[in-house]
Amino acid sequence: MLELDAITKVFRKRGPFGGGRSTVALDRISVRIGDGRTLGVIGESGSGKSTLARIALRMIAPDSGTVRFGGRDITRVSGKALRDFRRKVQPVFQDSAGALDPRMTIARILREPLMLRGDVPRAEWSKRITDILTAIDLSPALRDRYPRQLSGGQRQRIGIARALLMEPEILILDEPVSALDVSVQANVLNLLRDLQRDRGLSYLFIGHDLSIAEYFCDDILVLHNGVQKDFADAETLFRDPKDDYTRTLLAAMPRQL
Amino acid sequence: MTGLLDIRRLSVAFGPTRALSDIDLALEPGTRLGLVGESGSGKSTLGLAVLGLLPPDAACTGEVRFQGEPLPWSDDRAMTRVRGRRIGFIYQDPMAAFSPVHTIGTHITRALRAAHPGVGRREALDWSVALLEEVEINKPRERLDHYPNEYSGGMLQRVMIAAALVGDPDLLIADEPTTALDVTTQASVLGMLDRIVEARGMGFILISHDLGVVAEACREVAVMYGGKLIQRVALADLKAEAHPYTRALLEARPTFGKRGQRLSTIADFLPSDWFDDA
Amino acid sequence: MIRIAASRLATSLIALLGAALFAFIALRVAPGDAARLVLGPFATDEAVQALRVKMGLDDPLPVQFWHYLTSFVSGDWGWSYSLGQSVRDLLGERFPATLELGLYAFLFALVAAVSLAVIGAFRRGLLSDGVPRALSVFALAVPQFWFGIVALIIGFEMLGLFPGPSGRLPPGVTAPAGPTGLYTIDALLAGDLATFATALHYLALPAITLGLLPFGFLLRLLRANLLDVAGEPFVLVARAQGQSHFRVFLRYVLPNAIIPTLMASGLILGQLLAGSVLVERVFNWPGAGSLVTQGLLQQDYSVVQTFILLSAFIYILANLFVDLLAAAIDPRIARGAGQ
Amino acid sequence: MSIIRSVPVFLPLALLTVLAGAVVVGPLVWPIDPYTMDFAAILAPPGPGHWMGTDSVGRDVLARFLAGGRLSLSVGVIVMLGGLVPGAIIGVIAARAGGIVDMVLMRAMDSIAAFPPILLAMAVAIGLGGGLWTAVIGVIISTLPFFARLMRSEVLRIMSHRFVDAAESMGATPAFILLWHVSPHAASTMLVQCAAVFGYAIITLAGLGFVGLGAEVPTAEWGVMITEGMKYALTGQWWLTVFPGLGILVAVSAANLLADGLSATMGGRHA
């Protein structure tokens, strides 16, 4: 269980002699991720949703508020304690090309988590990689390809596979299907649902598309300029939005066909 | 009455890669057509081909007639008189569509004077102010002196719409005009396009990957895949007469009410040798 | 804008101090005897010792650095034993010749590079594309002093089209009197077209030789920038608005490509200053550069030291000027990221 | 490796190899010693026996050309490596440490870069007492900013990629990221820079030799040979200057073209 409690983050644009403007990226935001559920955080650009993802991954520390994992305060831990936490919470990024090192073959990319875990014997690596490729519906023959030789959907699956090899409890999905074509989106969303069911994973889903969020998430938090506008389970939110901003978002959605 | 646009057997190739194959597409005046396809379908290439703005290494065959006459692609001077005056164009990424070292006013007046060579500087300036007002930019006179980086994406997109309208074109081609924008901005830009196209009664081609976006502003849909035109159908008949690929596009979208169900994928509708991506 | 200017000024000051410190370390603290460097190999040990005291070489290093810096800034640049004149007077005397040469070299580089780059960008073809490319490869790889010699062999000795390596004017012609010290300009001011033409004739080969490196550098940079900008979406959009190919190039592509090219002006100034040392020797051009070569060959280093540090200062100030200019022209820098 | 097979890399590389082969093997095949004077054959034009002619004291120009080439190419390699190692280390430290360390290191590099390279090398060579090796040290110092700035920006660029974020999330240490992700990317960029610096070193040292600060008379070095030949250039003995200059031109063009070719070929693989 990952708990973010009253998280505040302010970004300052520093001028050469101090001063400068500051933007509140997150204003006392609290979320809980766990229990095999999916929490959606939805907002437009500048809403602070990506900052929230980075804090959940502890890539950055909040200015105030606490991050707890399994009851332990990990807001400001570093070094080994931070690395221990990190392997339990893995990211999947929007830009599937940028998330994979272009100079490495798929096999090498998938070897990285096994190396970093350190608890899987070297002799098992090859089998683990074959297994995970099968699990994400990709041919093991792809292992010798480079990322640029794969389609966007295939690359996104490799990103997911890499995260899974860490055997995490939580996946932070930062706009995982926004860059994909519609037909590929469905494949990746189906895969993520199957994985959640089979492996008991919990998800933090960051996105801007309400219809995907409604389909994919259990609970939804609506963010606007760093402020929480709405929070409810997906059905309630869509049937009976509490906040004006949520209503604006719903009204702005393109027609459903 | 002659048609507005008549594309006949249009093919485009970049070296060995075929971007478009044998496209036939005709538009009557006032037609509002959504051109839908996924990445690599050739939809943007089609838009640029009509304007004669494909890169020089593109090999282009076939013919495009505009208001009854073939478009003079090989004669760039003549095409210059078509672009902006008879066919307007809106580009997908407003942030990249403006030269960063020129003011918004410079951009608009240049577009204006390209469409109306006789217009003087002062007149162009007043006209620009009126245009910015039409696309709902506040304090247009001050705003003319601002640089693109001082505008938001939505504002820039509205300025680009204004610039595309200066020549009062008979056809407007918009290439993914809202893809780079937020949902709320997208809604307002689409609404504005819808009103403007309606009011001027011009032909409209909206290129998009999103059937929902197209449905906001068009009456007809043309679906493309792999450089080919799969089908063309009135929006109202889309569900009833959908080609299997179009069905796949519709069904694969996660929409309200599909909660908890498995999404259909393209493989559910079409044999696997039909498409490349698994 | 003021804030940007202030911050650029601060970094420039740091760079100036750093450059002075570097020169101080290289020339004063390094194992060689600084007083011996100034006085040359033929001075007596007593004279060297006396100068050591006068230069304060036995003071603590920070004190020495302070003296070094203040005397440099105040224009006290020492004495040339081989020419028996103060370095400041020497450089002042010779500077106009170098300035004139550098000016024409720059003009040649700029005009040739811009026109070739524009032709290459506007028209694709083997000739308009291959020739500029080959020329820039050549210009960046040819040793300038060697090119000068070969130019003399061909242009003077073989064809007789250009004057030999005999300075700025032929022996019998008196230099035009004028305020600038640049013969071409002084001659024009005096209305003396014949002298103007002669001076230009004498400038031709040295200026092309000196301008060769900046020419290759500018050509390469400008071609790359033009190519980049030509692929920008705003070029496509402007074309789609019915603006002609030529106008779009002139109005959108060129201005956007020129600004990053302009940022390299400091480097070009450095190339000209350093190049003048080599090129002036080949043509016996009576400028500051040949003064440096003379000093090097006679191991009279006072002029050399001053010239080196002066070039660094000029480079830093030129960069400061270019940055401020760019900030004034380019709204992205002038008004910050906006939004 | 497939990179080598691309034409823009292969051609200049082949040219450099031929040149290097010639100056290494040449002396074994060409029987004349570069320093032996033959007063019977002073200023002899190119012809059989002396393919590139002889100089003012009857030394064989071809033999000196080959010896000078060996010197120039080896000095090019020395400067390349001598600048690469400390420059790259400075760049990595600046990028990783950030803050004040970064500031100080980069301002120091700015200060060095403020001097036109050949003048900087001059200052160092004078300070250290002159001679070929002091000039080499000077040229090495002048290349430090190129390497350090490039390495710093490479490290920062690569570290900003998502795949590094992913590695950090998997518990990778900074050292692991530097070795596993940064170094393969940085290596190719540095390779391009090395090729360029190789050419730069040759041309700069020849320039220093020309003004008496690099190799000294009577060393067979291309810059010195041009200086010595300059006296005779306009009296008809063109071969004294033309051949060594052509050597520099070919070597430096090849190095620059190799740098361009490498960067174009490997550009496609960059993230």
Side-chain angles (χ1 to χ4, degrees), chain A residues 42-45 47 207-211 220-224 229-230 237-238 241 243-254, chain B residues 182-185 187 256:
Chain A
I42 303 302
E44 298 185 290
S45 50
S47 63
H208 67 275
D209 187 327
L210 276 166
S211 56
I220 294 177
L221 172 76
V222 178
L223 270 186
H224 183 54
K229 288 291 181 186
D230 224 328
L237 187 92
F238 278 77
D243 190 85
D244 281 347
Y245 179 69
T246 314
R247 278 192 278 272
T248 313
L249 276 186
L250 282 169
M253 283 175 50
Chain B
D182 274 328
V183 200
T184 46
T185 321
F256 293 159

Side-chain angles (χ1 to χ4, degrees), chain D residues 135-199:
Chain D
V136 168
I137 293 172
V139 178
I140 287 177
I141 292 178
S142 74
T143 66
L144 287 183
F146 307 158
F147 283 115
R149 286 171 171 174
L150 189 67
M151 190 68 188
R152 176 178 176 275
S153 69
E154 270 297 283
V155 173
L156 291 178
R157 183 181 71 84
I158 297 158
M159 298 285 291
S160 73
H161 278 297
R162 284 298 200 187
F163 58 79
V164 171
D165 288 343
E168 281 183 351
S169 305
M170 295 186 287
T173 58
F176 178 90
I177 290 170
L178 275 182
L179 273 176
W180 184 259
H181 290 294
V182 175
S183 57
H185 286 266
S188 59
T189 315
M190 288 319 226
L191 193 64
V192 172
Q193 182 74 357
C194 278
V197 162
F198 176 75

Side-chain angles (χ1 to χ4, degrees), chain C:
Chain C
M1 181 69 204
I2 290 167
R3 175 173 289 171
I4 293 164
S7 105
R8 284 297 300 131
L9 206 64
T11 36
S12 298
L13 267 176
I14 294 172
L16 285 173
L17 271 179
L21 185 63
F22 184 85
F24 175 73
I25 293 172
L27 296 164
R28 281 284 181 88
V29 185
D33 185 331
R36 176 63 76 184
L37 281 185
V38 171
L39 289 182
F42 308 113
T44 61
D45 288 344
E46 291 75 40
V48 171
Q49 188 52 40
L51 185 68
R52 283 189 67 83
V53 175
K54 192 175 158 237
M55 285 170 79
L57 289 183
D58 300 318
D59 291 340
L61 285 178
V63 177
Q64 283 192 46
F65 178 59
W66 178 248
H67 286 310
Y68 180 79
L69 195 64
T70 45
S71 59
F72 184 82
V73 171
S74 64
D76 175 10
W77 297 337
W79 184 266
S80 162
Y81 73 83
S82 65
L83 294 168
Q85 235 179 318
S86 86
V87 172
R88 189 158 70 155
D89 291 349
L90 273 172
L91 284 177
E93 233 167 64
R94 299 287 199 100
F95 184 66
T98 297
L99 182 67
E100 184 165 41
L101 178 58
L103 203 66
Y104 283 92
F106 179 70
L107 276 179
F108 157 73
L110 190 71
V111 171
V114 170
S115 34
L116 277 172
V118 167
I119 292 169
F122 202 62
R123 228 171 250 284
R124 285 292 158 73
L126 194 65
L127 205 65
S128 53
D129 206 51
V131 168
R133 198 173 131 73
L135 278 176
S136 79
V137 169
F138 174 80
L140 290 173
V142 70
Q144 280 176 298
F145 53 97
W146 178 76
F147 178 85
I149 296 170
V150 174
L152 280 172
I153 293 176
I154 297 171
F156 165 64
E157 198 210 345
M158 288 168 63
L159 303 177
L161 287 176
F162 292 95
S166 53
R168 302 171 76 184
L169 283 176
V173 180
T174 40
T180 63
L182 310 184
Y183 288 178
T184 47
I185 293 179
D186 286 342
L188 274 186
L189 288 177
D192 183 356
L193 285 181
T195 310
F196 173 75
T198 315
L200 216 52
H201 194 207
Y202 271 70
L203 264 165
L205 283 186
I208 290 175
T209 306
L210 181 60
L212 204 58
L213 180 64
F215 158 73
F217 177 75
L218 267 175
L219 180 57
R220 193 188 150 95
L221 194 64
L222 197 56
R223 271 167 58 85
N225 287 337
L226 283 172
L227 213 63
D228 278 355
V229 176
E232 292 281 348
F234 59 74
V235 172
L236 180 77
V237 170
R239 297 272 287 131
Q241 288 165 349
Q243 306 189 47
S244 72
H245 192 26
F246 181 66
R247 283 199 172 167
V248 169
F249 181 82
L250 222 58
R251 291 164 158 185
Y252 293 96
V253 181
L254 211 51
N256 277 287
I258 286 279
I259 289 176
T261 312
L262 224 149
M263 301 294 283
S265 300
L267 271 179
I268 289 169
L269 203 59
Q271 288 169 351
L272 290 171
L273 279 166
S276 70
V277 173
L278 302 177
V279 172
E280 288 187 6
R281 178 172 182 212
V282 174
F283 291 95
N284 288 315
W285 195 259
S290 60
L291 208 58
V292 171
T293 335
Q294 244 173 300
L296 284 170
L297 295 175
Q298 295 172 4
Q299 303 192 1
D300 174 8
Y301 293 128
S302 45
V303 177
V304 185
Q305 296 187 21
T306 306
F307 187 83
I308 291 173
L309 188 52
L310 215 51
S311 325
F313 276 32
I314 291 175
Y315 171 84
I316 292 166
L317 295 176
N319 267 347
L320 175 66
F321 176 73
V322 168
D323 278 3
L324 295 179
L325 194 68
I329 299 174
D330 190 333
R332 282 167 300 185
I333 309 172
R335 303 199 193 175
Q339 257 301 308

Side-chain angles (χ1 to χ4, degrees), chain A residues 158-212:
Chain A
I158 297 294
I160 294 168
R162 178 178 55 190
L164 291 177
L165 283 172
M166 293 301 291
E167 296 183 358
E169 294 168 15
I170 294 172
L171 286 190
I172 309 292
L173 309 168
D174 189 356
E175 306 250 16
V177 295
S178 303
L180 303 178
D181 278 325
V182 181
S183 58
V184 187
Q185 262 182 23
N187 284 318
V188 172
L189 288 173
N190 283 336
L191 173 68
L192 285 169
R193 281 171 48 90
D194 294 348
L195 290 170
Q196 183 166 43
R197 191 189 56 221
D198 299 345
R199 302 182 180 226
L201 290 165
S202 306
Y203 291 153
L204 173 64
F205 177 94
I206 308 284
H208 67 275
D209 187 327
L210 276 166
S211 56
I212 295 179

